[in-house]
């Protein structure tokens, strides 16, 4: 009998991802919404590991872990789970997610959604949930489009439907619907590949075996395809459900399996059929020898026949006497009394050629490896030194395991130069672990670790930000530490959050740099000026908590006081002298010298330091009147008033007026600051 197994057998990528992910979850219990896959053996195994299947999400509570299987669910269910604070592990197949997005997009564009598939299939029910359950579902190619009244329709397919039937369905649209139509062939490519192989094998063989769950849509499609080409088609849910005697009448048999069928079940069917197809003694001997052939790394049981000084003699299969040297025994010191002839021990085949070498010590190594493999399969993070690179990524060793890190899994973002990672140690989380006698391999990722750490940091930052913005409001007085300077201000850390103190809010008198006011690392008090929660910005001010320069003038300066200041500006009617930062006083031209001056610049220049007497203080108008002349000795000879020319008498009168009014051209109500601006 010729037996052919389809190349596409075993779990599809989506199912494999679902099973691996659920097994890796450490939360207990783990709830799955509906059967994770349509395979009784796998479901039983998951149940034994604490996975609970639910028909409805209503029973899950706050904090529970719920797995969404590959069929997906409606949008409303996801939103409801989010509101309930359920930890959702969404394992929806990427092809299904793509279809969900199409449905949602075109529903929002006012298209009538048409779904080709089984109305009650969980995938179709989920798709309908992305258009508020308004979709029209057609279950077969004989569609009556007269029921569709919409001007615009969007057509999608359940990912596991028959490609041929969907094509027939689309012909109906072309022939009977002349309005706006958007068509998306959303059948999964792995489903298409299995359907192609099923079609080919069923045309080439006398009988076909389809292995898969009775609830599996894609398995039923495979059966329909095979049955159409080969009447001798058998559908079984597991290898135990197959009557192998019936198959002996056929010369050639093909084997196909659904996407939820483990690869080992297809192989079990194949081996069982091979065993039933032994027709001669030569074939039987050849088959038995093949089954009994020892392989390197294989664990076997042997019986001790003799205990000797240099080790043990053991029976293999009750016939062969093999030497097991004492250095291969699982003991620190070999003691003959610890071993008894006739007892059974477990050993590992270390070599088969040129002679058979066994080791009991290696059992301990294998047990450690098995424990390690289990930890790796559960997501144990390991440190791996990278030995080399290849076209696809990086390679290294972890104990007896070969490690491969695909280029896309090295870091967040694109890696252009793999060479720079050679010789470095990466933190790796296993994505896939193969552990057999022949193969010990880890496919791992550093990116998933970095992404998880980033997500944790982002979540922590978000929580801190939310707490910060909940505790701060405008006009609050806060204490902050100056972290760094910028040209436009200073960044200040307040309760762990960066706030900006703009340079204009640092001093009443104007500064060139924040460094004129602050020291890096020092704490100061600030007032909150503006809180922008949406853009996560907070503006704070320092000067607002400091007194304005003129607020203290009345307490510090009195008429008659002598002050020292610097000439900061010269105008036609006098000079402004800076008494202190932000406080200027006016020395009228007539108060500069005892002699008559046409221009103040003839006696003073900007930057001169002078002593002056305060003649008047008006805090409300922010004016201080000064006199340099009052501190100077008067000339020895004075000209009498009646002897002065008329012109000089007139000028004297104007001088007296200007002292009190700062000239008629200067508004008596204008402050020094306003005059400076002019």
């Amino acid at each position: 009998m010729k037996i052919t197994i389809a190349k596409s057998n075993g779990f599809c990528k989506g199912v494999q991802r679902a099973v691996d992910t659920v097994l890796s979850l450490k939360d207990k219990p783990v709830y799955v919404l509906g059967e994770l896959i349509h395979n009784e053996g796998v479901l039983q195994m998951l149940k034994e590991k604490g996975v609970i299947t639910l028909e409805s999400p209503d029973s899950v509570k706050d904090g529970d872990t719920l797995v969404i299987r590959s069929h997906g669910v409606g949008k409303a269910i996801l939103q409801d789970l989010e509101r309930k604070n359920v930890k959702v592990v969404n394992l929806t197949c990427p092809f299904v997610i793509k279809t969900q997005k199409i449905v949602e997009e075109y529903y929002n564009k006012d298209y009538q959604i048409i779904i080709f598939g089984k109305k009650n299939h969980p995938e179709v029910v989920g798709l309908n949930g992305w258009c508020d359950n308004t979709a029209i579902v057609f279950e077969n190619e004989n569609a009556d489009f007269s029921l569709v009244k919409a001007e615009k329709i969007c057509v999608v397919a359940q990912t596991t439907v028959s490609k041929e039937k969907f094509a027939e369905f689309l012909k109906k649209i072309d022939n009977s619907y002349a309005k706006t139509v958007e068509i998306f062939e959303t059948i999964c490519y792995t489903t298409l590949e299995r359907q192609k192989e099923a079609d080919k094998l069923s045309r080439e063989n006398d009988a076909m075996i389809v292995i898969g769950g009775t609830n599996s849509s894609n398995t039923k499609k495979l059966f329909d395809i095979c049955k159409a080409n080969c009447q001798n088609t058998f559908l079984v849910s597991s290898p135990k459900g197959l009557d192998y005697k019936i198959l002996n009448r056929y010369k050639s048999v093909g084997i196909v399996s659904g996407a939820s069928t483990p690869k080992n079940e297809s192989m079990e069917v194949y081996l069982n059929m091979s065993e039933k197809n032994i027709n001669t003694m030569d074939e039987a001997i050849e088959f038995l020898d093949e089954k009994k052939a020892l392989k390197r790394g294989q664990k076997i049981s042997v019986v001790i026949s003799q205990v000797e000084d240099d080790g043990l003699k053991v029976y293999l299969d009750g016939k062969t006497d093999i030497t097991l040297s004492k250095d291969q025994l699982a003991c620190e010191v070999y003691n003959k009394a610890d071993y008894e002839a006739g007892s059974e021990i477990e050993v590992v085949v270390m070599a088969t050629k040129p002679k058979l070498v066994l080791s009991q010590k290696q059992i301990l190594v294998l047990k450690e490896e098995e424990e390690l493999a289990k930890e790796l399969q559960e997501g144990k993070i390991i440190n791996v030194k990278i030995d080399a690179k290849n076209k696809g990524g990086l390679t290294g060793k972890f104990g007896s395991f070969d490690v491969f890190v695909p280029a896309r899994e090295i870091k967040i973002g694109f890696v252009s130069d793999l060479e720079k990672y050679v010789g470095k140690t990466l933190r790796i989380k296993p994505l896939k672990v193969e552990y057999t006698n022949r193969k010990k391999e880890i496919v791992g990722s550093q990116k998933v670790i970095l992404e998880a750490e980033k997500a944790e940091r982002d979540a922590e930052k978000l929580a801190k930000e939310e707490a910060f913005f909940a505790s701060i409001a405008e006009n609050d007085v806060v204490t902050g530490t100056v972290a760094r300077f910028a040209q436009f201000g200073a960044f200040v850390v307040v309760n762990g959050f960066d706030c900006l103190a703009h340079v204009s809010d640092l001093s009443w008198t104007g500064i060139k740099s924040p460094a004129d006011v602050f020291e890096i690392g020092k704490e100061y008090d600030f007032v909150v000026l503006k809180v922008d929660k949406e853009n996560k910005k907070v503006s704070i001010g320092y000067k607002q908590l400091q007194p304005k320069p003129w607020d203290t003038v009345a307490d510090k300066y009195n008429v008659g006081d002598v002050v020292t200041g610097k000439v900061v500006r010269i105008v036609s009617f006098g000079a402004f002298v800076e008494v202190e930062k932000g406080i200027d006083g006016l020395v009228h031209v007539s108060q500069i010298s005892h002699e008559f001056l046409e221009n103040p610049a003839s006696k003073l220049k900007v930057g001169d330091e002078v002593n002056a007497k305060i003649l008047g203080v008006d805090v409300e108008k922010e004016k201080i009147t000064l006199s340099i002349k009052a501190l100077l000795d008067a000339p020895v000879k004075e000209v009498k008033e009646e002897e002065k020319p008329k012109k000089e008498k007139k000028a004297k009168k104007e001088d007296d007026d200007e002292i009190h009014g700062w000239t008629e051209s200067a508004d008596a109500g204008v402050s020094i600051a306003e005059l400076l601006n002019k």
Side-chain angles (χ1 to χ4, degrees), residues 114-183:
I114 306 292
I115 303 174
F116 182 69
K118 294 297 179 182
K119 189 171 185 178
N120 295 323
H121 190 278
E123 180 188 325
V124 175
V125 173
L127 290 175
N128 204 358
W130 290 85
C131 59
D132 291 335
N133 298 309
T134 61
I136 298 175
V137 181
F138 289 101
E139 294 193 325
N140 57 62
E141 57 273 31
N142 301 317
D144 182 5
F145 276 94
S146 64
L147 302 174
V148 183
K149 307 299 182 183
E151 291 292 327
K152 302 184 295 181
I153 65 172
C154 171
V155 182
V156 297
Q158 180 183 328
T159 56
T160 55
V161 297
S162 164
K163 182 180 180 181
E164 289 71 21
K165 290 185 178 180
F166 186 52
E168 288 297 320
F169 173 74
L170 295 180
K171 288 180 183 178
K172 295 285 185 181
I173 298 178
D174 294 339
N175 296 334
S176 61
Y177 204 82
K179 300 173 184 178
T180 303
V181 181
E182 293 285 348
I183 298 173

Side-chain angles (χ1 to χ4, degrees), residues 349-561:
V349 177
M350 301 297 292
T352 58
K353 296 179 181 179
K355 67 176 183 176
L356 184 61
V357 179
L358 305 177
S359 171
Q360 186 191 38
K361 186 187 296 184
Q362 190 65 18
I363 289 289
L364 301 178
V365 175
L366 289 182
K367 286 182 178 178
E368 291 177 0
E369 279 187 353
E370 289 170 359
E371 187 62 34
L372 175 60
K374 182 180 178 182
E375 291 177 355
L376 292 171
Q377 288 164 347
E378 292 174 350
K380 175 185 174 71
I381 294 176
I382 57 176
N383 293 322
V384 179
K385 184 176 181 181
I386 301 303
D387 299 326
K389 69 177 181 70
N390 57 33
K391 187 176 180 180
L394 306 172
T395 60
K397 293 284 290 185
F398 185 75
S400 58
F401 287 84
D402 293 318
V403 180
F404 175 64
V405 185
R408 66 179 179 276
E409 298 294 340
I410 296 173
K411 69 169 190 174
I412 302 173
F414 178 72
V415 175
S416 58
D417 183 11
L418 293 173
E419 184 65 41
K420 68 179 182 180
Y421 290 94
V422 176
K424 293 186 176 180
T425 298
L426 302 185
R427 290 180 299 152
I428 300 298
K429 182 174 183 179
L431 301 178
K432 181 180 179 182
V433 179
E434 285 198 46
Y435 179 65
T436 65
N437 290 338
R438 296 185 177 184
K439 193 172 186 180
K440 298 179 179 67
E441 184 176 88
I442 301 168
V443 178
S445 170
Q446 180 173 249
K447 183 175 75 172
V448 295
I449 300 173
L450 301 176
E451 287 176 336
E453 291 175 344
K454 182 179 182 298
E456 186 176 348
R457 291 194 301 270
D458 291 346
E460 185 178 345
K461 180 182 178 183
L462 180 61
K464 287 182 178 179
E465 286 177 351
E466 290 176 350
F468 173 77
F469 280 103
S471 66
I472 197 166
E474 291 182 10
N475 300 318
D476 285 353
V477 175
V478 296
T479 300
T481 303
V482 178
R484 60 192 185 280
F485 294 145
Q487 187 176 1
F488 50 82
F491 286 97
V492 180
V493 178
V494 177
N495 294 333
F497 189 84
D498 269 6
C499 303
L500 175 64
H502 194 272
V503 67
S504 62
D505 291 312
L506 302 186
S507 173
W508 291 110
T509 59
I511 56 172
K512 293 182 179 180
S513 166
D516 296 339
V517 180
F518 298 137
E519 292 181 27
I520 297 288
K522 196 171 180 180
E523 284 189 347
Y524 300 86
D525 288 336
F526 300 86
V527 64
V528 178
L529 302 178
K530 184 179 180 182
V531 177
D532 186 348
K533 293 184 180 180
E534 183 177 350
N535 295 306
K536 294 182 172 55
K537 293 181 179 179
V538 175
S539 299
I540 55 177
Y542 178 73
K543 74 178 184 182
Q544 289 80 359
L545 299 179
Q546 313 305 316
K548 294 181 180 180
W550 281 92
D551 290 346
T552 60
V553 164
D555 297 328
K556 295 166 64 175
Y557 301 105
N558 299 295
V559 174
D561 290 349

Side-chain angles (χ1 to χ4, degrees), residues 316-331:
L316 179 61
D317 296 331
K319 297 178 181 179
T320 309
D321 203 0
I322 306 295
T323 299
L324 183 58
S325 64
K326 62 182 181 181
D327 61 342
Q328 290 298 331
L329 295 173
C331 57

